Amino acid sequence: MERAAVFDVDGTLVDTNHLHVVAWWEAFRQAGHDVPMHAVHRAVGLPSGDLVAHLLGDDRDPDRDDDISAGHKALYGQYFDRLPALPQAGELLRRLHRDGWAVVLATSAGGAELSALRRAIDADDAITATASADDVDAGKPAPEPVEHALELAGVPPERAVFVGDTVWDMRAGSRAGVRCVGVLCGGIPRADLEESGADVVYADPAHLLSALAGSPLA
């Protein structure tokens, strides 16, 4: 395969962003922090440690960061058996695979969480590789997750497209030198995605699939 379609997972292929928001909100509340849900939503997509630092700032007690992240992980884990794939997410990956794209997932999820996400997508036969945040030193918006995905696919940046739903995705893809496609199903406004590097924006995987012939993934 000589071209790669790299996909974020949460909010892009699986409808989980608002589940993450609720889990993070409750984890912060249990740790004594009142963090508005809208602020949490804007931070979803960052690695756990970066998300906590981003929302609580330098005045926090960093020794509590791991406890907050563990609280989120436990709360979010309650949803693993019923994570909902976004419309036609699996069909999109299988279509791209048939069209000769190497499909690579670039996600901060790992272990049981990643397994639950892949079960929801139900397209393992179309997925060439998975680049996890555990495999790199820095998560999005650093370019390393996307660069690692390209290494796994064996293609240069100019032969790849990255699809994601957050500004962190668009910044990571842009810094890695790949074309970026945004989707609105994670709840981030079109203007924010475009300002962060999206070349084009679609509603969700179903919309991208229906418009594939005229997209960067044609």
Side-chain angles (χ1 to χ4, degrees):
M1 293 182 180
E2 298 180 351
R3 53 186 182 173
V6 182
F7 282 85
D8 171 63
V9 181
D10 281 298
T12 300
L13 297 172
V14 187
D15 193 9
T16 53
N17 279 11
H18 290 86
L19 299 177
H20 277 296
V21 169
V22 172
W24 275 117
W25 174 82
E26 178 62 17
F28 282 122
R29 190 194 67 81
Q30 291 179 3
H33 299 286
D34 183 15
V35 181
M37 287 196 186
H38 71 84
V40 177
H41 180 215
R42 302 287 296 189
V44 166
L46 289 171
S48 294
D50 294 342
L51 183 146
V52 174
H54 177 77
L55 290 171
L56 297 185
D58 294 336
D59 293 336
R60 75 190 191 285
D61 178 2
D63 291 337
R64 298 292 307 281
D65 288 6
D66 288 345
D67 291 339
I68 296 171
S69 294
H72 162 263
K73 184 176 182 179
L75 290 159
Y76 180 66
Q78 299 175 61
Y79 301 113
F80 280 2
D81 63 347
R82 55 191 187 280
L83 299 181
L86 282 152
Q88 294 190 278
E91 290 88 336
L92 173 61
L93 301 192
R94 285 191 288 270
R95 168 65 184 277
L96 291 170
H97 179 71
R98 290 197 303 270
D99 288 350
W101 291 82
V103 176
V104 183
L105 305 182
T107 176
S108 58
E113 181 181 350
L114 179 57
S115 296
L117 291 166
R118 292 184 67 143
R119 285 196 301 272
I121 300 166
D122 191 24
D124 277 357
D125 54 315
I127 298 170
T128 301
T130 300
S132 168
D134 296 336
D135 302 324
V136 296
D137 292 331
K140 305 167 193 173
E144 280 89 338
V146 180
E147 292 170 344
H148 181 53
L150 300 184
E151 291 173 1
L152 294 174
V155 301
E158 60 270 18
R159 296 287 296 168
V161 176
F162 180 46
V163 183
D165 69 296
T166 69
V167 297
W168 320 115
D169 293 327
M170 299 302 100
R171 291 174 185 173
S174 296
R175 291 168 181 172
V178 304
R179 291 193 69 183
C180 295
V181 171
V183 287
L184 298 173
C185 42
I188 301 302
R190 177 187 299 270
D192 290 5
L193 296 175
E194 291 175 341
E195 183 179 339
S196 300
D199 291 322
V200 62
V201 178
Y202 298 90
D204 56 19
H207 183 204
L208 176 53
L209 179 60
S210 70
L212 204 58
S215 79
L217 290 159

